[in-house]
Amino acid sequence: MKKVFSSADEALNGVLKDGMTIAAGGFGLCGIPENLIAAIKNSGVKELTIASNNAGVDDFGLGLLLQDRQVKKMISSYVGENDLFMQQYLAGELEIEFNPQGTLAERLRAGGAGIPGFYTATGVGTKIAEGKETKEFDGKTYVLERGLRADLAIVKAWKGDAQGNLTYRKTAMNFNPECATAGKITIAEVEEIVPVGSLDKMQIHTPGVYVQRIFAANHEKRIEQRTTRAA
Amino acid sequence: MKKVFSSADEALNGVLKDGMTIAAGGFGLCGIPENLIAAIKNSGVKELTIASNNAGVDDFGLGLLLQDRQVKKMISSYVGENDLFMQQYLAGELEIEFNPQGTLAERLRAGGAGIPGFYTATGVGTKIAEGKETKEFDGKTYVLERGLRADLAIVKAWKGDAQGNLTYRKTAMNFNPECATAGKITIAEVEEIVPVGSLDKMQIHTPGVYVQRIFAANHEKRIEQRTTRAA
Amino acid sequence: MPWDRNDMAARAAQELEDGFYVNLGIGIPTLVSNYVPEDYDITLQSENGMLGMGPFPTEEEIDADLINAGKQTVTELDRTSYFSSSQSFAMIRGGHINLSILGAMEVSETGDLANWMIPGRLVKGMGGAMDLVAGVQRIVIIMDHANKAGESKLLKKCSLPLTGQGVVDRIITNLGVFDVVEGGLKVIELAPEVTMEEVRNKTEATIVGS
Amino acid sequence: MPWDRNDMAARAAQELEDGFYVNLGIGIPTLVSNYVPEDYDITLQSENGMLGMGPFPTEEEIDADLINAGKQTVTELDRTSYFSSSQSFAMIRGGHINLSILGAMEVSETGDLANWMIPGRLVKGMGGAMDLVAGVQRIVIIMDHANKAGESKLLKKCSLPLTGQGVVDRIITNLGVFDVVEGGLKVIELAPEVTMEEVRNKTEATIVGS
């Protein structure tokens, strides 16, 4: 059961299908699977539904998939950094399902954990709860949200091993562990593949059972808001 | 906001009340908050409801609280190692609510995460689902289980710092992180209190926000099933 | 003399208590961190997965893997811990964060909040705002008392789509501090030289009590 | 000649596929790990929070912080990862474990399983069994064909309280291998010298097919 692949293209071989649902890790441009996104763009696959907190920027991250109109629908909490997204959305060419950020994270976690539905107070009394079931617990109203699984999850980790064990770095972790659990197939790109046994066993944020394919690649790691203080 | 206390007795000062609900970490005798349990025994507090995967053995762990009949009810998945438990249960002196192990873990996690209810396939069609709501998702039946919070959570970690950050060791982690999130007050006992900043920031399994009080103590770490192979 | 942005942020800092875990929204709320009393031990949560957020980095400290929820580069502290998004929102939704200070477009006299969407205009999304207002123990809003057209942003009923229903505890505007109470908004404090009459004139929401 | 415990465990090992993640129950299922083909990469999950369980420790290796779900001391491997109980059962409930091999008191012809409780006797609890049978991709049962009184444990309907409803895929007994199919149990394989007639005589459940 060889999990290690040599490139994004090789790792995606036989996996992509028009109309599939993809869960993508990352927050803004931080911790995004940038090599997999680029390879998905080059593959020409279409009609994608993508669950990702954000939609990248016009020329980087998931924004790349908008250039050739490969995305049918986004499930996101915030897409404000992407002009192309707005144009396509306002032109009716792109569907958006807004999920509160915590609800999106929990939906992916629940999907991966075999939980088809859970109740949250988030969004009760707002547009987000319209058309959804609500229920009272101890006198307070909660809305039923569904677990979310994806045909494919693409995630970016710091280091990984041949067993698929992954460890993340700082806030580049974000949605990646949740996406990894929600994919029927999960592909991880890492900065470095290390020998099995060299990751700290108490710090394997994503155990290998969740990862079917893994490859190492370079990462540009573009910064969206470079803010500094005087030295 | 001083979180560091000198002993179990000091850390429990002002916290215990008859009739309260306590969530206790540990699996069997592994990773149990043994000093807090001993201090709770000595306090004489009564009518406790305790959520814990197991009930200890007769003379160690939560079994100690049965000796003086301090426990009214256990919420557990397996209590087979405790004769005293069985005697009190069969005599009608002790109530038991069995939860499947994964359901118990998820109930504590959900309680701590502000999720009052979730659906699981675990236990559907069994006694466990009797009297509980069920719901179909995509043609399959699931049972509604409730999030669980506790007045007090007692957990055992390997190392902790003055901010309440905790890190666990091997399978002594088990239910401890979930219990830590489910407590309205959470008290952690650790083997060592280390300087703030010395724990690996990617390996803080329980962030300090969940821990109100912490102390260091010695741990007997009794082994339940000592099994070995020839060297 | 009404408060300016910094005055409002300084006033909001009075909402802090020693030991608090706090989530600050984008904009004026970010300024609150400049006014934390020195002897207070305050921990900032960033909902993208960080507890214990430090100041902006120097040019040399910039790390692409270390940003806040506004996607700005930040730094870590000794106390910092990192975790995934579902764990971050478990913390928020579960009521473990003491206080969140956020901006707003509109607040109603029953504590409804609108701060994520203007129909007909570009919709960017709610991000983590709906989870914060539903889960955090106490919600304090900082905003101008009136919009650019001079209309009250403290309303009987919000006209914009809600972020949360009955979620706001306190509002700090350039004119004063207001609590959501039974029957409407109660004036807690007025900015210097601001009168009750001025507040009544400039507020659509019901002002209750003295 | 019916199979003994080790024969049954060896037969159950044929259910493994290279790369499988497996959870083995207490008792005979534990023996299956002795029969894993050498060229197979199999990872054992222990539901108390460990993926990649190693063999029992030597006396020197014993670590009180390292036990399996049967509370026995075990060892770790290079591949091992540790995690909390909710994460462990997320893995199980979410269908990420390929196979679980468990013992049973009774199995019905519709795949119902009873293995946790005998009313009127001491009740120990179901532990993780209900989660395993509800969540793991494939459930294989190893048990004696008959109980100590000589009565079939493969029943039309379980008499004991269920662990799961319609959850069993395959049953390995001392007499053979049986699949739960439409209409009843199908004989997949017989132990040496065991005949279909013997199976029919010793089985209360409906035997379908040849």
Side-chain angles (χ1 to χ4, degrees), chain B residues 79 86 169 178 221 227 229, chain D residues 56 63 73 84 86 123:
Chain B
V79 295
M86 284 301 162
R169 186 169 174 275
E178 285 79 17
K221 294 196 189 182
T227 47
R229 70 175 197 278
Chain D
F56 293 137
D63 183 341
T73 45
S84 74
S86 71
V123 178

Side-chain angles (χ1 to χ4, degrees), chain B:
Chain B
M1 294 304 292
K2 189 179 153 299
K3 291 187 176 182
V4 180
F5 288 71
S6 65
S7 67
D9 284 334
E10 202 196 297
L12 284 166
N13 188 27
V15 169
L16 295 173
K17 286 193 180 54
D18 287 353
M20 78 189 311
T21 297
I22 300 178
F27 184 93
L29 300 181
C30 181
I32 58 172
E34 48 183 89
N35 291 279
L36 285 161
I37 293 169
I40 290 171
K41 175 180 173 61
N42 291 336
S43 78
V45 67
K46 295 185 306 289
E47 296 281 309
L48 299 174
T49 294
I50 299 185
S52 168
N53 190 57
N54 313 96
V57 294
D58 286 355
D59 64 342
F60 199 63
L62 292 171
L64 295 175
L65 304 185
L66 300 177
Q67 294 173 348
D68 300 324
R69 294 181 162 58
Q70 292 172 272
V71 183
K72 184 181 69 178
K73 177 180 174 180
M74 290 293 305
I75 304 174
S76 302
S77 88
Y78 190 83
V79 295
E81 327 290 1
N82 195 320
D83 291 336
L84 197 55
F85 187 100
M86 284 301 162
Q87 288 168 29
Q88 293 186 19
Y89 172 66
L90 293 173
E93 296 167 351
L94 181 59
E95 203 180 328
I96 170 86
E97 176 187 322
F98 279 119
N99 280 191
Q101 194 174 135
T103 296
L104 178 59
E106 189 66 17
R107 290 186 67 197
L108 290 162
R109 189 227 171 240
I115 292 173
F118 61 91
Y119 291 94
T120 175
T122 299
V124 169
T126 76
K127 289 175 81 74
I128 293 306
E130 283 173 15
K132 292 177 184 168
E133 287 182 43
T134 59
K135 191 172 174 65
E136 279 205 10
F137 293 92
D138 305 324
K140 191 174 164 185
T141 304
Y142 296 83
V143 60
L144 176 63
E145 295 281 1
R146 296 295 309 272
L148 183 60
R149 293 211 66 174
D151 300 311
L152 170 65
I154 55 174
V155 303
K156 191 267 169 184
W158 183 35
K159 294 179 181 179
D161 67 25
Q163 288 285 331
N165 293 311
L166 303 180
T167 192
Y168 304 93
R169 186 169 174 275
K170 303 192 178 185
T171 57
M173 179 190 284
N174 56 63
F175 280 82
N176 284 295
E178 285 79 17
C179 289
T181 68
K184 288 173 194 161
I185 297 173
T186 293
I187 307 180
E189 58 179 78
V190 297
E191 297 181 37
E192 190 186 354
I193 291 184
V194 297
V196 174
S198 61
L199 294 174
D200 187 324
K201 294 171 173 51
M202 294 309 299
Q203 196 175 322
I204 292 173
H205 302 110
T206 295
V209 66
Y210 292 114
V211 177
Q212 281 70 51
R213 300 181 181 193
I214 183 171
F215 67 96
N218 291 321
H219 290 84
E220 176 184 337
K221 294 196 189 182
R222 197 183 290 187
I223 293 174
E224 225 164 321
Q225 305 281 344
R226 179 178 288 263
T227 47
T228 56
R229 70 175 197 278

Side-chain angles (χ1 to χ4, degrees), chain C residues 58-73:
Chain C
T58 62
E59 194 63 42
E60 291 68 40
E61 288 171 338
I62 283 181
D63 183 341
D65 289 341
L66 181 41
I67 65 170
N68 66 16
K71 284 133 192 163
Q72 299 169 310
T73 45

Side-chain angles (χ1 to χ4, degrees), chain D residues 67-79:
Chain D
I67 65 169
N68 65 16
K71 283 134 194 164
Q72 298 168 310
T73 45
V74 291
T75 55
E76 64 185 20
L77 303 170
D78 275 349
R79 72 181 55 185

Side-chain angles (χ1 to χ4, degrees), chain A residues 141-220:
Chain A
T141 304
Y142 296 82
V143 60
L144 175 63
E145 296 282 1
R146 296 293 309 271
L148 184 58
R149 292 211 66 173
D151 300 311
L152 170 66
I154 54 174
V155 303
K156 191 267 167 183
W158 183 34
K159 295 180 182 177
D161 68 24
Q163 288 286 331
N165 293 311
L166 304 179
T167 191
Y168 305 91
R169 185 169 175 274
K170 305 192 177 184
T171 57
M173 180 189 284
N174 57 64
F175 280 83
N176 284 295
E178 285 79 18
C179 288
T181 68
K184 288 172 193 162
I185 297 174
T186 292
I187 306 180
E189 60 178 78
V190 298
E191 297 180 40
E192 190 187 354
I193 291 185
V194 298
V196 174
S198 62
L199 294 174
D200 187 324
K201 293 170 173 53
M202 294 310 299
Q203 196 174 322
I204 293 174
H205 303 111
T206 295
V209 66
Y210 292 113
V211 177
Q212 281 69 50
R213 302 182 180 192
I214 184 171
F215 66 97
N218 290 321
H219 289 83
E220 175 184 338

Side-chain angles (χ1 to χ4, degrees), chain D residues 40-116:
Chain D
Y40 274 22
D41 188 21
I42 300 292
T43 304
L44 298 179
Q45 204 249 17
S46 189
E47 67 263 31
N48 55 319
M50 181 181 198
L51 190 67
M53 185 168 58
F56 293 137
T58 63
E59 194 63 43
E60 291 68 40
E61 287 171 338
I62 284 182
D63 183 341
D65 289 340
L66 181 42
I67 65 169
N68 65 16
K71 283 134 194 164
Q72 298 168 310
T73 45
V74 291
T75 55
E76 64 185 20
L77 303 170
D78 275 349
R79 72 181 55 185
T80 301
S81 56
Y82 297 103
F83 32 81
S84 74
S85 296
S86 71
Q87 289 177 284
S88 181
F89 283 93
M91 206 175 273
I92 290 167
R93 200 189 304 102
H96 303 280
I97 306 297
N98 300 103
L99 174 67
S100 186
I101 303 176
L102 301 168
M105 300 169 179
E106 297 176 349
V107 179
S108 84
E109 63 188 44
T110 57
D112 294 354
L113 169 69
N115 72 351
W116 78 282

Side-chain angles (χ1 to χ4, degrees), chain A:
Chain A
M1 294 304 291
K2 189 178 154 301
K3 291 188 177 184
V4 180
F5 289 71
S6 66
S7 69
D9 284 334
E10 203 195 296
L12 284 167
N13 188 27
V15 169
L16 295 174
K17 286 193 180 57
D18 287 353
M20 79 191 308
T21 296
I22 300 178
F27 184 92
L29 300 181
C30 182
I32 59 173
E34 47 182 271
N35 293 279
L36 285 162
I37 293 168
I40 291 171
K41 174 180 173 61
N42 292 335
S43 78
V45 67
K46 295 185 307 291
E47 296 281 308
L48 299 174
T49 294
I50 300 186
S52 167
N53 190 57
N54 313 96
V57 295
D58 286 354
D59 64 342
F60 199 63
L62 292 171
L64 295 176
L65 303 185
L66 300 178
Q67 293 174 349
D68 301 324
R69 294 179 162 59
Q70 292 172 272
V71 182
K72 184 181 68 177
K73 178 179 174 180
M74 291 292 306
I75 304 174
S76 303
S77 89
Y78 190 82
V79 295
E81 328 289 0
N82 195 319
D83 292 336
L84 197 55
F85 186 99
M86 282 302 162
Q87 287 168 28
Q88 293 186 19
Y89 172 66
L90 293 173
E93 297 167 351
L94 181 60
E95 204 180 326
I96 170 88
E97 176 187 322
F98 280 120
N99 280 190
Q101 194 174 136
T103 296
L104 178 58
E106 189 67 16
R107 289 187 67 197
L108 290 162
R109 187 223 171 245
I115 293 172
F118 61 90
Y119 291 94
T120 174
T122 300
V124 169
T126 76
K127 288 175 81 74
I128 293 305
E130 283 173 15
K132 293 177 184 166
E133 287 183 43
T134 59
K135 191 172 173 66
E136 279 206 10
F137 293 92
D138 304 324
K140 191 175 165 186
T141 304
Y142 296 82
V143 60
L144 175 63
E145 296 282 1
R146 296 293 309 271
L148 184 58
R149 292 211 66 173
D151 300 311
L152 170 66
I154 54 174
V155 303
K156 191 267 167 183
W158 183 34
K159 295 180 182 177
D161 68 24
Q163 288 286 331
N165 293 311
L166 304 179
T167 191
Y168 305 91
R169 185 169 175 274
K170 305 192 177 184
T171 57
M173 180 189 284
N174 57 64
F175 280 83
N176 284 295
E178 285 79 18
C179 288
T181 68
K184 288 172 193 162
I185 297 174
T186 292
I187 306 180
E189 60 178 78
V190 298
E191 297 180 40
E192 190 187 354
I193 291 185
V194 298
V196 174
S198 62
L199 294 174
D200 187 324
K201 293 170 173 53
M202 294 310 299
Q203 196 174 322
I204 293 174
H205 303 111
T206 295
V209 66
Y210 292 113
V211 177
Q212 281 69 50
R213 302 182 180 192
I214 184 171
F215 66 97
N218 290 321
H219 289 83
E220 175 184 338
K221 294 196 188 181
R222 198 182 290 187
I223 293 174
E224 227 164 319
Q225 305 281 344
R226 179 178 288 265
T227 47
T228 56
R229 69 176 198 278

